[in-house]
Amino acid sequence: MAGAEDGPGQQPELDEDEAAYCRRWGAQHAGARELAALYSPGKRFQEWCCVVLCFSLIAHNLVHLLLLARWEHMPLVILGVVAGALIADFLSGLVHWGADTWGSVELPIVGKAFIRPFREHHIDPTAITRHDFIETNGDNCLVTLLPLLNMAYKFCTQSPEALEQLYPWECFVFCLIIFGTFTNQIHKWSHTYFGLPRWVTLLQDWHVILPRKHHRIHHVSPHETYFCITTGWLNYPLEKIGFWRRLEDIIQGLTGEKPRADDMKWAQKIK
């Protein structure tokens, strides 16, 4: 594979196999065109509102956390950052697995709004690289609004003494929120092979965030492994214990539903 010897921060050259991967199915696929057309003005408005509110709350809460910072908090803060990254990675995998594996685009409300992008992504993996910041991050911003609002409420209503006691916990929650908010942006970067800022490629090469080659494992049909897309740290251990397969077996046994049936339906569209 080209780029196997890439140094930290270098943009990789693509060989023919990698170029074919980046073109897999693609925007010309009938299912991809149909799914892309379902992105509505109403959905766009929801994403704009969520992004603006989310980042306003992030800025508000970050200022309060910085004002409360003390050196003696540092060990627990570092632990909170690592724990936040791990839990965000697991949650990203859980959501990704759920949306990839179950449900349908035809479901009321959630189908077109939230499951549709997952179906489009498997038949046009580079579509996400053509999405702007709002479309890429709008849904994740929606998910993190409630904990951000809860944190802002605490900062506005609780005493300094109470906040001092809660500080390590709030740092953990804030880190979890940050990783969760930027999960789809990190995911987008893992599909972007050209033009990434050096600091992003360094984080990928050091596996602080999801690396490009690592995520390619998920995009081998039938897309049944390596679902964690924040850091990717948990993909290997979860695969080794067969976590997702065991979960699918339990759900299929209880409901009779076949995993990834809707995903395959869209992939097989030819006109």
Side-chain angles (χ1 to χ4, degrees):
M1 304 297 286
E5 303 300 325
D6 293 335
Q10 292 181 349
Q11 299 288 354
E13 296 291 334
L14 298 185
D15 62 19
E16 291 183 3
D17 290 339
E18 288 174 317
Y21 163 79
C22 292
R23 295 192 304 267
R24 183 184 181 275
W25 298 99
Q28 77 282 357
H29 188 280
R33 294 198 304 270
E34 186 176 343
L35 288 163
L38 295 176
Y39 183 65
S40 67
K43 175 64 174 172
R44 179 71 173 181
F45 178 72
Q46 170 251 305
E47 290 171 345
W48 260 107
C49 293
C50 291
V51 168
V52 171
L53 184 53
C54 176
F55 281 90
S56 298
L57 288 166
I58 285 174
H60 173 273
N61 292 337
L62 178 60
V63 169
H64 282 273
L65 286 172
L66 292 174
L67 291 174
L68 289 167
R70 302 289 184 272
W71 280 111
E72 55 267 27
H73 294 142
M74 191 58 65
L76 288 177
V77 169
I78 293 172
L79 181 62
V81 171
V82 175
L86 281 168
I87 294 176
D89 198 40
F90 177 75
L91 292 176
S92 76
L94 191 63
V95 172
H96 188 186
W97 166 80
D100 271 8
T101 309
W102 311 107
S104 165
V105 175
E106 285 73 36
L107 286 173
I109 303 175
V110 298
K112 291 181 181 179
F114 300 108
I115 294 177
R116 176 198 65 83
F118 290 86
R119 300 294 177 268
E120 180 188 16
H121 185 58
H122 282 171
I123 51 181
D124 185 8
T126 59
I128 192 173
T129 67
R130 302 189 295 274
H131 296 169
D132 64 8
F133 187 85
I134 301 298
E135 186 175 357
T136 299
N137 298 289
D139 288 341
N140 287 59
C141 288
L142 173 62
V143 170
T144 56
L145 280 180
L146 190 59
L148 282 168
L149 285 166
N150 181 58
M151 184 178 291
Y153 176 77
K154 290 180 184 178
F155 285 135
C156 293
T157 60
Q158 297 205 15
S159 67
E161 293 75 18
L163 292 172
E164 177 79 15
Q165 295 295 320
L166 288 171
Y167 188 80
W169 170 256
E170 297 302 328
C171 284
F172 157 72
V173 172
F174 187 76
C175 290
L176 175 59
I177 289 170
I178 292 298
F179 278 111
T181 299
F182 284 98
T183 285
N184 216 35
Q185 184 65 51
I186 293 169
H187 181 206
K188 176 180 177 177
W189 288 333
S190 76
H191 284 279
T192 305
Y193 280 77
F194 301 99
L196 286 175
R198 180 173 172 78
W199 64 270
V200 172
T201 59
L202 285 172
L203 291 176
Q204 289 177 330
D205 292 337
W206 295 338
H207 209 149
V208 177
I209 61 175
L210 184 69
R212 289 167 290 196
K213 291 183 177 66
H214 181 96
H215 184 53
R216 286 177 55 189
I217 297 170
H218 172 72
H219 279 274
V220 176
S221 184
H223 314 285
E224 60 185 6
T225 188
Y226 275 47
F227 291 100
C228 300
I229 54 172
T230 303
T231 63
W233 298 345
L234 294 178
N235 280 320
Y236 181 75
L238 289 175
E239 177 64 17
K240 288 298 288 183
I241 65 173
F243 181 81
W244 305 113
R245 290 189 297 276
R246 293 172 190 272
L247 208 52
E248 288 169 13
D249 289 344
I250 292 171
I251 293 173
Q252 187 172 10
L254 291 173
T255 67
E257 293 292 323
K258 185 178 179 181
R260 286 169 289 280
D262 190 62
D263 198 46
M264 291 299 297
K265 181 190 79 172
W266 285 97
Q268 291 167 357
K269 282 181 175 283
I270 58 174
K271 63 180 181 177

